[in-house]
Amino acid sequence: MKKSILAILTVVTIAFTSCTSDSSETIPANTFDLKVDNLKGEITNKETVTLDATKTYTLTGGLIVRSGSSLIIPAGTTIKSDPTADTEIAKTIFIAVERGAKIFVNGTAAKPVVMTSGKVAPAEGNWGGLIICGDAKVNTGDNGTSEVGGLLYGGNNNADSSGEINYLKISYTGSKFSDSKEYNGVSFFGVGSGTKVSNIYTFESGDDAIEFFGGAVNASNLVLINSYDDSLDFADGYIGTITNLYISGISFGGVEGSNNGQNDIALPMTDAKIINISIVKGTATKFTASEKAINFKEGGGKQTYTNLFVDGIATFAKLDSGTGATARIAAGDFKINGANFVTANNTTATYVTNQLGAGAGATLPSWADWTK
């Protein structure tokens, strides 16, 4: 059943009930307040809510799309976090899509969907981020619980669909949930290949820009700028292809790829293919790339990089010394198919001068012009 947000409020009731999170915190009952356009609570009852692109919404708490329901965000829609939120409130502000629910971010190059901070002086960590949970396979077991938000994810349907994301600008995410858990810009938990993901721009994420926890979703045209942990992270048996990836401003690793933190030979094994990638360290002193361009971690799994360009990082990879990672490297499962290092130790990879990575070496590629 597809309805506009106004129609839903006039003919049906959207139930906003509690949600179990890592801190046993509940989401208070609330509604969409059309007077001030606040977003908070839950979309339930298998309803489809469509936001209004002419409005700027304020995200004042957790917004969860429950199983069977859908959230449609039209091109040009802007969602801002609560401008008055302190650090405690910031960790409760996020958008989450439960396993079995769908989100449709229908941006365009001319009118992207924007999710950002509402602060006058925005900074990383002003709010959580976007969390999507699916029914695809992960090697940590079925019915895992998302790192933050307390949502179940994982199953046996690698073709599962959680909707579509296209032309999304998401910035100032990564609020600190606890001493060991922080939000990413966008987190994909067990998301299946039926989900369409392309053209995402992240900026100033307090943790990773984008992370894949298992699943089989593919993605293309990702621009990840100024992340304060890793830029791209995949783990837990992620099986997918990422095409056209531009990374700049690296605090830890440009890419962190792992198999399983508890069992580095767990199955299904991570099998990630990254095609056309530029990794640019950045010139600010905070960008140290301390875990190199690629951090091959916790067994590593299978990783293949094709058309890799690295700028400003002397050693291209940090290699896990565990038995799982050693076996994968010995088997030739960590592959660099052509690489161009501007400032690098050229003994670590084949030096090919015509590799342009995401399209223009260290320069933002033309396909990413919409992010400017």
Side-chain angles (χ1 to χ4, degrees):
M1 183 185 298
K2 183 178 291 186
K3 300 178 181 178
S4 71
I5 188 169
L6 181 58
I8 287 176
L9 287 172
T10 56
V11 299
V12 302
T13 298
I14 300 179
F16 291 83
T17 56
S18 66
C19 149
T20 301
S21 73
D22 290 318
S23 62
S24 299
E25 185 176 317
T26 59
I27 304 299
N30 206 336
T31 61
F32 292 104
D33 185 340
L34 292 181
K35 293 181 181 179
V36 292
D37 304 313
N38 287 346
L39 298 179
K40 181 180 180 179
E42 300 183 358
I43 301 171
T44 63
N45 299 330
K46 298 184 178 180
E47 294 296 338
T48 295
V49 170
T50 301
L51 300 186
D52 184 343
T54 67
K55 297 179 180 294
T56 295
Y57 293 92
T58 300
L59 190 62
T60 58
L63 174 62
I64 301 176
V65 188
R66 290 297 185 187
S67 182
S69 300
S70 297
L71 174 62
I72 298 174
I73 309 179
T77 303
T78 296
I79 300 172
K80 293 185 176 182
S81 66
D82 185 349
T84 67
D86 60 17
T87 55
E88 283 300 305
I89 297 299
K91 71 183 185 182
T92 70
I93 299 176
F94 61 91
I95 298 174
V97 181
E98 190 175 57
R99 184 175 60 184
K102 288 182 169 62
I103 186 171
F104 296 91
V105 176
N106 295 331
T108 66
K111 294 182 178 181
V113 168
V114 175
M115 299 179 183
T116 189
S117 169
K119 298 281 190 183
V120 174
E124 51 91 12
N126 282 168
W127 67 291
L130 176 61
I131 300 165
I132 302 175
C133 298
D135 195 37
K137 194 68 178 175
V138 296
N139 67 21
T140 51
D142 299 345
N143 298 315
T145 303
S146 61
E147 191 173 34
V148 291
L151 300 176
L152 296 178
Y153 71 95
N156 291 290
N157 182 10
N158 272 3
D160 183 44
S161 174
S162 297
E164 183 170 351
I165 299 176
N166 199 27
Y167 290 103
L168 169 65
K169 285 186 173 182
I170 183 166
S171 55
Y172 304 110
T173 55
S175 56
K176 190 177 181 63
F177 191 82
S178 69
D179 289 341
S180 60
K181 296 178 181 180
E182 294 174 315
Y183 293 89
N184 302 307
V186 185
S187 300
F188 295 93
F189 289 91
V191 175
S193 62
T195 310
K196 307 302 180 186
V197 178
S198 63
N199 297 294
I200 298 178
Y201 168 78
T202 71
F203 181 70
E204 294 283 325
S205 173
D207 198 61
D208 301 338
I210 296 178
E211 184 162 4
F212 297 90
F213 298 84
V217 62
N218 302 310
S220 63
N221 294 6
L222 307 180
V223 179
L224 315 181
I225 307 295
N226 297 1
S227 304
Y228 294 99
D229 193 348
D230 305 306
S231 298
L232 175 71
D233 198 335
F234 52 82
D236 301 343
Y238 170 68
I239 299 172
T241 299
I242 297 169
T243 306
N244 295 341
L245 173 62
Y246 180 84
I247 293 171
S248 181
I250 302 168
S251 297
F252 288 86
V255 176
E256 180 175 283
S258 58
N259 187 48
N260 184 300
Q262 303 301 315
N263 175 9
D264 66 5
I265 58 171
L267 300 176
M269 188 169 289
T270 291
D271 190 352
K273 297 176 177 62
I274 317 295
I275 301 170
N276 304 334
I277 172 174
S278 290
I279 300 176
V280 181
K281 179 176 177 250
T283 57
T285 55
K286 59 188 174 183
F287 300 131
T288 62
S290 59
E291 294 181 347
K292 313 310 177 187
I294 299 169
N295 185 6
F296 191 80
K297 185 180 177 183
E298 294 170 347
K302 300 177 182 179
Q303 300 180 32
T304 302
Y305 297 83
T306 301
N307 191 6
L308 169 67
F309 182 98
V310 176
D311 181 19
I313 302 174
T315 304
F316 92 101
K318 177 182 178 182
L319 303 178
D320 179 8
S321 59
T323 56
T326 300
R328 297 279 62 77
I329 293 168
D333 289 334
F334 182 36
K335 299 176 183 177
I336 309 295
N337 297 327
N340 181 10
F341 291 85
V342 174
T343 306
N345 176 356
N346 297 326
T347 64
T348 61
T350 303
Y351 188 86
V352 182
T353 57
N354 63 354
Q355 297 296 322
L356 294 178
T363 304
L364 189 74
S366 59
W367 54 259
D369 283 347
W370 69 276
T371 67
K372 295 178 179 177

